[in-house]
Amino acid sequence: MSRGKFNNPLFENVTIIDIAEEGKGIGKADDFVLFVEKAVPGDVADVQVYRSKKNFAEAKIIALKKPSEHRVEPFCEHFGTCGGCKWQHMTYAAQLQFKQKSVADALSRLAKIDVGGMLPIIASPADRYYRNKLEFTFSNKRWLYDGESRDNEELDMNALGFHIPGRFDKILDVRHCYLQADPSNEIRNRVDAFAKLHGYTFYDLRAHTGALRNLIIRTSSTGELMVIVVFAYPTEEEVSRLMQFIADEFPEITSLLYILNEKKNDTIFDQDVIAFKGPEYIHEEMSGIKFRIGPKSFYQTNSIQALHLYEIARDFAQFTGNELVYDLYTGAGTIANFVAGNVREVVGVEYVPTAIEDAKINSQINNITNTKFYAGDMKDVLSADFVAEHGKPDVIITDPPRAGMHPDVVARLMEIEAPKIVYVSCNAATQARDLLVLKEKYDTVKIQPVDMFPHTQHVENVVLLVLRG
């Protein structure tokens, strides 16, 4: 039943039956599919539409008639405003249930794969303070908290925190974040206070002006700590003063770096890194293997679950010790170096040249001699000549970005016909798209979801494919 204006009707007693990626509950009323803010599967609520499309609408809860058994009180004061941790209002057990369902739905619906033997999702041992990297943004356009008025001329509009969803120029001034362990919050808050006290200008995301741009904090399982300050248009005195303050206040920082970025985007991969204190790297460790992590290095942000993820990939492959392995989208060679001790040789390919340099260093510092790494566009590097030169792989491990593999890469895998493919994915939908093609020659033998990011919709999934015949 609905009433109210045509463009924003109110629907009564709507039952929420599922949850969407954006953290919105899914319900149905009349001919509408409703995406309801802060709703949990099992809720029964009166909801008000605020945006309508042809076949769906976005709505918010006006009255919660019956709360779901899965509903809990969010633990973070920034829930609902911050763009992260959008499933905080749902029990962790329920989060795992719906992540398992999302993977199963994607593979069965898009790839037409039987998921009856799918393994239970592996939970994260920690659902708070599990990230080893966070990036914060300085902005002179702070998102206002409830009760604050723009008419107040004395209002401090500077912020250091996270982007507001859908508002690239608005930053939430974060007071406490539950994603990264100490001293992350203390570093951010004290840098923020120092900058405001001494009159530093915060970045203007529209005008591209200001001294301070980003703050990146990386922690590691070895206890090492990296802090990177990204400046835009500072004076030399401002740089030296802030960096010395951080060094004095936090002597435990292993690697203290800064970058001058005057571009109109936040990417730092093409920027020079300047070491203020310590080396330009820290280390992670996994099963006795060390990985050097630089300011531009990719490393799974949940260190504990990364180990589980790579163990699954290794165990799915069932190495005997004599395999030639191709590790596609190898990044810093994490998987390649992790499995190197179990195989004859690993050949890693990655688009980013600096990542390949990291991969080579990671082999060197661990005295691993049976790895080779190549940089270039995967669809160009993985050619018939490349396979002829290096040999046909016994196992291919592929861990592509969210967009999945390029169609030309999938076609090459079909031509190579490796006996086994272990497909690691952070996006079950694009994984399913690729599996739909690969299923012409491959059987899906094992499926294992892994929760790397509690309180979010994101889920990793590992699939073992075996060549038929």
Side-chain angles (χ1 to χ4, degrees):
M1 177 181 180
S2 64
R3 63 177 184 272
K5 296 181 180 179
F6 176 77
N7 289 330
N8 58 343
L10 184 145
F11 293 98
E12 298 177 331
N13 297 314
V14 174
T15 299
I16 306 302
I17 57 175
D18 206 342
I19 191 161
E21 288 192 356
E22 299 81 8
K24 295 178 179 178
I26 301 174
K28 293 184 178 179
D30 294 350
D31 295 327
F32 277 126
V33 173
L34 299 171
F35 293 92
V36 184
E37 288 183 358
K38 301 179 183 178
V40 175
D43 281 345
V44 178
D46 295 344
V47 303
Q48 182 81 57
V49 171
Y50 61 84
R51 186 180 294 118
S52 297
K53 300 292 183 180
K54 183 177 181 181
N55 297 317
F56 71 91
E58 295 175 87
K60 58 185 177 181
I61 294 175
I62 298 300
L64 183 59
K65 297 295 188 65
K66 179 184 176 184
S68 167
E69 62 177 349
H70 304 309
R71 177 176 283 277
V72 292
E73 190 67 25
F75 52 81
C76 179
E77 65 174 308
H78 302 302
F79 174 76
T81 304
C82 176
C85 304
K86 292 183 178 179
W87 285 16
Q88 249 185 64
H89 58 325
M90 187 163 56
T91 65
Y92 187 47
Q95 292 177 35
L96 295 174
Q97 172 188 330
F98 285 101
K99 289 186 182 190
Q100 178 101 5
K101 179 178 180 297
S102 72
V103 172
D105 288 349
L107 298 192
S108 60
R109 179 171 52 86
L110 300 177
K112 306 296 189 291
I113 288 173
D114 181 3
V115 296
M118 180 175 171
L119 297 166
I121 188 170
I122 296 177
S124 176
D127 69 344
R128 304 181 196 185
Y129 306 115
Y130 61 83
R131 288 185 66 100
N132 56 42
K133 178 186 176 183
L134 280 182
E135 180 171 343
F136 304 99
T137 299
F138 292 92
S139 174
N140 65 350
K141 290 182 172 59
R142 178 170 66 85
W143 182 259
L144 298 184
Y145 291 106
D146 290 342
E148 293 184 314
S149 171
R150 296 189 184 280
D151 297 332
N152 183 356
E153 296 181 358
E154 298 181 358
L155 201 63
D156 182 3
M157 291 300 295
N158 287 328
L160 175 57
F162 298 127
H163 288 267
I164 296 292
R167 298 293 302 272
F168 82 94
D169 62 334
K170 297 293 188 219
I171 297 296
L172 175 69
D173 200 33
V174 175
R175 293 164 178 161
H176 185 93
C177 180
Y178 289 87
L179 285 173
Q180 191 176 34
D182 291 338
S184 179
N185 280 298
E186 188 177 4
I187 292 172
R188 184 197 62 253
N189 289 335
R190 288 170 74 175
V191 167
D192 185 33
F194 180 88
K196 290 174 179 175
L197 178 65
H198 292 89
Y200 282 71
T201 53
F202 285 33
Y203 197 66
D204 189 309
L205 290 155
R206 288 186 179 274
H208 301 288
T209 58
L212 295 173
R213 188 160 188 169
N214 301 102
L215 177 68
I216 303 168
I217 302 174
R218 301 188 82 143
T219 55
S220 78
S221 59
T222 62
E224 297 176 54
L225 176 62
M226 175 184 287
V227 174
I228 311 158
V229 181
V230 184
F231 295 90
Y233 303 99
T235 65
E236 290 185 12
E237 194 275 337
E238 285 178 322
V239 173
S240 61
R241 191 177 188 184
L242 177 58
M243 299 306 291
Q244 191 60 55
F245 166 78
I246 298 172
D248 292 342
E249 292 293 307
F250 299 96
E252 66 268 37
I253 292 175
T254 313
S255 174
L256 180 57
L257 316 171
Y258 69 91
I259 295 170
L260 301 175
N261 179 13
E262 297 182 352
K263 299 188 290 88
K264 291 188 177 181
N265 64 66
D266 288 339
T267 58
I268 63 171
F269 293 102
D270 56 350
Q271 301 294 291
D272 293 331
V273 179
I274 303 165
F276 187 85
K277 171 197 167 186
E280 292 184 21
Y281 55 82
I282 57 176
H283 293 96
E284 271 286 357
E285 187 170 348
M286 187 183 293
S287 289
I289 302 172
K290 276 193 171 183
F291 297 96
R292 183 176 292 185
I293 308 298
K296 303 175 186 179
S297 299
F298 170 79
Y299 190 83
Q300 292 282 359
T301 54
N302 186 330
S303 298
I304 296 175
Q305 286 296 79
L307 173 59
H308 293 151
L309 189 72
Y310 298 155
E311 287 175 336
I312 292 162
R314 179 196 63 198
D315 295 346
F316 273 17
Q318 294 183 313
F319 296 123
T320 64
N322 196 41
E323 288 85 0
L324 170 63
V325 178
Y326 282 9
D327 181 26
L328 309 185
Y329 310 92
T330 190
T334 316
I335 294 180
N337 285 296
F338 183 79
V339 303
N342 303 99
V343 302
R344 172 167 52 87
E345 185 176 66
V346 186
V347 177
V349 183
E350 167 61 42
Y351 176 76
V352 182
T354 55
I356 287 298
E357 293 308 309
D358 287 340
K360 293 176 180 178
I361 290 172
N362 287 329
S363 288
Q364 291 170 5
I365 63 177
N366 290 284
N367 297 314
I368 295 172
T369 58
N370 62 333
T371 57
K372 296 177 181 177
F373 296 102
Y374 299 90
D377 192 318
M378 191 69 62
K379 62 182 173 59
D380 299 327
V381 174
L382 195 65
S383 63
D385 289 342
F386 184 88
V387 175
E389 178 183 353
H390 296 284
K392 177 179 175 178
D394 301 293
V395 178
I396 292 176
I397 299 175
T398 181
D399 185 8
R402 288 190 62 77
M405 294 188 287
H406 189 281
D408 290 351
V409 176
V410 179
R412 288 296 301 132
L413 298 190
M414 294 285 282
E415 293 171 6
I416 293 171
E417 293 187 338
K420 296 177 185 177
I421 297 175
V422 179
Y423 191 151
V424 182
S425 173
C426 60
N427 185 338
T430 56
Q431 185 184 45
R433 178 203 64 203
D434 296 340
L435 294 180
L436 182 62
V437 178
L438 293 168
K439 69 182 291 186
E440 292 183 22
K441 292 187 176 182
Y442 286 88
D443 291 324
T444 299
V445 177
K446 291 183 179 180
I447 305 169
Q448 177 66 77
V450 181
D451 185 25
M452 303 283 283
F453 307 105
H455 310 300
T456 77
Q457 77 274 15
H458 300 295
V459 57
E460 296 271 340
N461 190 48
V462 187
V463 171
L464 171 62
L465 304 173
V466 175
L467 186 69
R468 282 195 294 275

